[in-house]
């Protein structure tokens, strides 16, 4: 009887250890999510594009690259903050690689334009890629060189060190799928509808298709 009790305890202990290892493994896997910060003009568009990509966990619109702490959307839009409209993309590297996302990024913007993107002009609307370490910088430079060769034109998108990323206010998150109403020149519209009208009027997809042709991954999907 004593032996049986010891055997039972040993089995229970082994099961608890196995469960603990499984939980630890799951937590470790979840902790492996990585982030990529890019600027591609209107952050609503970048967010909308990349949240469609399998392996992307989420995307947050915000600002980075400048010196103004906790900037507002209005401050950045007016200029002089040094910030770019940017998006922080969180992804599972087991499902999509950083290089794959960077390839998609270059083919979703006009990387030959140093003064803004499409109808949005000014420093805050320029393209950029931000890196946190040497490995991220090297990956960005390699993809940039490959994209430049594929495009056959000079790419002016800078690769910059990432400082603080400031998330935009909640009203600018998930704009492309929000049912909240806003006033547009066409009258009251949901943010989702206003976004589609803006994207078409701004000529984003038309310009990307003109540059990249069939390699444009998101054009016409908004």
């Amino acid at each position: 009887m004593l032996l049986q009790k010891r055997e039972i305890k040993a089995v229970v202990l082994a099961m608890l250890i196995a469960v603990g290892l499984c939980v630890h493994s799951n937590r470790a896997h979840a902790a492996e999510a990585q982030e990529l910060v890019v600027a591609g003009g209107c952050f609503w568009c970048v967010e909308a594009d990349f949240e469609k990509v399998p392996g992307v966990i989420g995307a947050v619109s915000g600002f980075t690259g400048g010196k103004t702490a906790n900037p507002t959307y209005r401050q950045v839009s007016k200029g002089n903050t040094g910030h770019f409209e940017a998006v922080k993309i969180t992804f599972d590297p087991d499902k999509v690689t950083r290089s794959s996302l960077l390839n998609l990024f270059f083919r979703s913007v006009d990387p030959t334009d140093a003064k803004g993107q499409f109808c949005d002009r000014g420093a805050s609307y320029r393209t950029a890629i931000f890196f946190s370490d040497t490995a991220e910088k090297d990956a960005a430079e390699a993809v940039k060189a490959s994209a430049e060769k594929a495009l056959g034109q000079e790419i002016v998108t800078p690769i910059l060190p990432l400082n603080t990323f400031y998330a935009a206010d909640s009203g600018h998150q998930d704009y492309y799928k929000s049912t909240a109403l806003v006033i547009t020149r066409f009258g009251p519209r949901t943010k989702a509808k206003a976004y589609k009208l803006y994207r078409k009027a701004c000529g984003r997809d038309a310009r990307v298709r003109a540059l990249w042709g069939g390699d444009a991954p998101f054009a016409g999907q908004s």
Side-chain angles (χ1 to χ4, degrees), residues 149-198:
K149 183 177 180 180
L151 186 60
Q153 298 183 49
E154 180 187 6
I155 286 179
V156 298
T157 303
I159 298 170
L160 306 171
L162 177 64
N163 296 316
T164 305
F165 176 89
Y166 298 97
D169 62 89
S170 60
H172 289 287
Q173 305 298 337
D174 293 323
Y175 201 97
Y176 73 99
K177 58 184 178 183
S178 173
T179 57
L181 290 176
V182 291
I183 302 299
T184 73
R185 61 177 176 167
F186 307 102
R189 295 287 189 275
T190 64
K191 287 183 177 179
K193 181 62 176 177
Y195 161 75
K196 289 183 178 181
L197 291 169
Y198 152 78

Side-chain angles (χ1 to χ4, degrees), residues 40-42 73 77 83-85 116-117 120-127:
C42 169
Y73 180 80
S77 297
H83 285 297
F84 294 74
E85 279 200 13
Q117 285 292 284
D120 294 317
R121 314 312 298 166
S124 65
Y125 292 110
R126 293 171 297 158
T127 61

Side-chain angles (χ1 to χ4, degrees), residues 193-211:
K193 181 62 176 177
Y195 161 75
K196 289 183 178 181
L197 291 169
Y198 152 78
R199 181 163 180 150
K200 183 176 181 180
C202 200
R204 187 182 187 98
D205 294 329
R207 175 58 179 160
V208 170
R209 278 195 296 264
L211 273 175

Side-chain angles (χ1 to χ4, degrees), residues 106-121:
F106 276 115
R107 288 159 178 79
S108 68
V109 296
D110 179 356
T112 69
D113 189 344
K115 296 183 179 181
Q117 285 292 284
F118 317 109
C119 67
D120 294 317
R121 314 312 298 166

Side-chain angles (χ1 to χ4, degrees), residues 57-139:
I57 298 166
V60 176
S61 292
F63 315 103
T64 194
K67 296 182 178 179
T68 301
N70 300 305
T72 65
Y73 180 80
R74 185 179 294 274
Q75 284 176 313
V76 175
S77 297
K78 285 184 176 180
N80 301 320
T81 65
H83 285 297
F84 294 74
E85 279 200 13
V87 174
K88 179 166 64 176
I89 301 164
T90 303
F91 64 98
D92 183 344
D94 289 337
K95 296 180 179 179
V96 63
T97 65
R98 180 176 299 274
S99 293
S100 294
L101 291 174
L102 288 169
N103 270 305
L104 291 174
F105 168 71
F106 276 115
R107 288 159 178 79
S108 68
V109 296
D110 179 356
T112 69
D113 189 344
K115 296 183 179 181
Q117 285 292 284
F118 317 109
C119 67
D120 294 317
R121 314 312 298 166
S124 65
Y125 292 110
R126 293 171 297 158
T127 61
I129 297 169
F130 298 89
F131 65 87
S132 296
D133 55 36
T134 302
E136 291 184 7
K137 180 182 180 182
D138 291 346

